[in-house]
Amino acid sequence: MIKNIFTINNTLKLFSRHKNGFIYFSSSSMSLNGATSLSTENYFKKLNNNNNSCSSPVKLPKLSWNTSKYALNTDYLTIYETQHKATLLKAIKNGCNVIVTRNNSATISPVISDLIENKEIERASIVVIKRSMLSKSISDLSCDQIDKDIKESLDKLGLDHLDVYMVDLSTFIQIDDQLINHLFENIFPHLESLIVKGQLSSYGLSFNQDSITNQSKSIESIIMKRKENNCNNFSFIQYPFNIYQHQTITNSPYHNGTKNIMEYAKENELVTLNSSPSLFTTPSLQRFKSVRDHSNVDIEKILKESFDLTIHMERNNPITKDESHSNKFKENKDLIGSLTWGHTLIYERSNPKLANLWSWKQILSSKIRPLVLKSVFTLFSSNINNNWGNSYLRAINSLFETYTKSLELQIFDQQRDMDQSFENHPYFKNIKITDQKQQDSTTSTSTPTPLSLYQKSLLVASKGADIIVEDPSNEDDLKEIQSIPFDSNPINNNQIIELSKKVIIK
């Protein structure tokens, strides 16, 4: 949570420059090199020498990079949440050397830059995967758009090289001949030219579940054509796989109906990425993760009090009566809207995205908090306004936290019951971990504990791809991931299907 005692001046010291509404960080210490086989290998050797426990690294074909079994998706990490930067920093220092981004999170540049400056890592030991912006049609998927996307990433991340560029086709309903021809005639040759120029090392494609399971002939055609068309650096393929969306692995439509996508990709020396190991849609967003128990607290009473205070402050906002800010309001109408979230939540609580815990948490961290804080910063100009701004931040952050708890309370029983149903499955019976708190203590003895719901889901998901892409937002989530025994026995299709039948959705 934001430390609300910060004033605008103190907080602005975090930023090196501000341009066109985006926050940039200085990154003069960044290395000019992308990931290399030797540096990624040395990264894990150093971890082992320092007794940092982590699962065995994955050796990627062709590229020969050594990577962690999990990649950290940074799209929901912001500089406005104090734990986000710390989570990314700790992840890299403790065994995660793959960073995935679509929105060029402002946490990436300062974390990597600081680690390089302090000689804790080399740039060449980190694999940065950039996901393309979503395209709605073939016309949106252009070489010019890719150039713009890559340039923006290099600028915001403070890098001069991206290790992997993933062309996201997950919004395409049909992987038809027109799209395939466009890829091979325009997109892939252009990406190969960017590799020659030194901006990229490799690239790949990202698909949705329907494409992987129901359009296998088209995807098989793409994989085979890449060899014929000298697309030598097309090395990655991404798809969703979890206990609920299991068909990408439990179905085998490839190679004349004998292989699933992971097996077929491995046969063709492609690295597989799992884009959704814990999140799934039913159609509302769901997640294999336990939530906090608030049954012993009167959440509704606390929530009402939080709403009352926040709405009272919004109705008495002195900034709206300050004529000196009228031009700022005209230039950016979102300023006022960002300072009325108490009212918004009252009237929009039935909105599916705000009423769902998992989508709410994503929107809160990536959009709402940044906009609220930016609006307060923009409008601070006098002591009166400064006092109101600090008080409003305390009130609105308290409301956000209580509202989150109210959503957790609604699904606590569902998540608990699902965890217990998985616990009884034979696959998890003999898989236990050493409690992370005990690992961090000075005691010499430790007691093995069962996997959490989150860990169970990620362990199963890890069996369906070389690397799982997950988005821990705090250090507790990160500890859970880092203590998963990814090297445990494989799970078979029948076991996955049995587990899928235990998914509880209400």
Side-chain angles (χ1 to χ4, degrees), residues 54-71:
C54 61
S55 298
S56 302
V58 178
K59 186 80 168 182
L60 303 188
K62 293 176 64 175
L63 295 161
S64 297
W65 295 336
N66 288 268
T67 72
S68 47
K69 182 64 182 177
Y70 70 97

Side-chain angles (χ1 to χ4, degrees), residues 151-340:
K151 183 181 185 304
E152 187 174 323
S153 291
L154 294 175
D155 288 344
K156 289 185 178 180
L157 301 179
L159 302 172
D160 56 18
H161 185 93
L162 297 173
D163 298 299
V164 184
Y165 187 82
M166 296 298 296
V167 179
D168 196 335
L169 303 180
S170 62
T171 53
F172 283 82
I173 298 175
Q174 282 293 120
I175 310 298
D176 56 19
D177 289 343
Q178 184 182 6
L179 174 58
I180 293 173
N181 290 336
H182 179 58
L183 291 172
F184 282 98
E185 292 173 7
N186 301 298
I187 302 303
F188 292 162
H190 186 65
L191 291 170
E192 292 285 344
S193 73
L194 295 179
I195 291 171
V196 173
K197 293 177 182 177
Q199 293 185 13
L200 303 174
S201 292
S202 186
Y203 60 92
L205 295 176
S206 180
F207 297 98
N208 59 37
Q209 181 187 359
D210 180 73
S211 297
I212 291 293
T213 55
N214 298 324
Q215 301 184 62
S216 57
K217 294 299 180 184
S218 296
I219 294 176
E220 216 171 314
S221 172
I222 292 173
I223 292 174
M224 295 310 297
K225 280 187 175 182
R226 96 188 207 281
K227 295 180 179 179
E228 301 167 9
N229 289 268
N230 297 317
C231 300
N232 300 319
N233 296 292
F234 176 1
S235 304
F236 290 78
I237 187 166
Q238 179 172 265
Y239 49 83
F241 167 63
N242 52 63
I243 294 173
Y244 184 78
Q245 293 174 295
H246 59 83
Q247 292 82 359
T248 47
I249 297 301
T250 56
N251 288 1
S252 300
Y254 296 87
H255 200 264
N256 298 318
T258 62
K259 298 182 184 298
N260 62 32
I261 183 60
M262 183 183 184
E263 294 165 339
Y264 188 68
K266 190 177 292 292
E267 184 181 81
N268 287 276
E269 295 187 290
L270 286 170
V271 180
T272 52
L273 303 174
N274 183 348
S275 60
S276 191
S278 69
L279 284 163
F280 58 100
T281 304
T282 65
S284 63
L285 195 64
Q286 306 280 335
R287 191 171 196 177
F288 294 112
K289 198 172 191 306
S290 298
V291 297
R292 297 172 292 180
D293 182 9
H294 306 293
S295 58
N296 62 337
V297 180
D298 191 344
I299 292 294
E300 283 303 313
K301 178 183 177 183
I302 300 173
L303 185 61
K304 182 181 182 303
E305 292 172 350
S306 295
F307 269 123
D308 288 345
L309 175 59
T310 304
I311 289 173
H312 171 76
M313 293 200 67
E314 290 172 356
R315 287 173 175 169
N316 293 277
N317 184 348
I319 299 174
T320 60
K321 303 171 184 177
D322 189 340
E323 294 183 2
S324 65
H325 291 95
S326 58
N327 289 333
K328 293 180 180 178
F329 295 148
K330 292 177 182 178
E331 294 170 4
N332 188 348
K333 296 180 180 179
D334 290 336
L335 286 177
I336 289 299
S338 298
L339 299 178
T340 58

Side-chain angles (χ1 to χ4, degrees), residues 35 107 112 127 143 201 248 256 286 295 338-339 358 476-477 503:
T107 60
I112 295 182
V127 177
C143 297
S201 292
T248 47
N256 298 318
Q286 306 280 335
S295 58
S338 298
L339 299 178
W358 311 114
D476 289 337
D477 287 352
V503 177

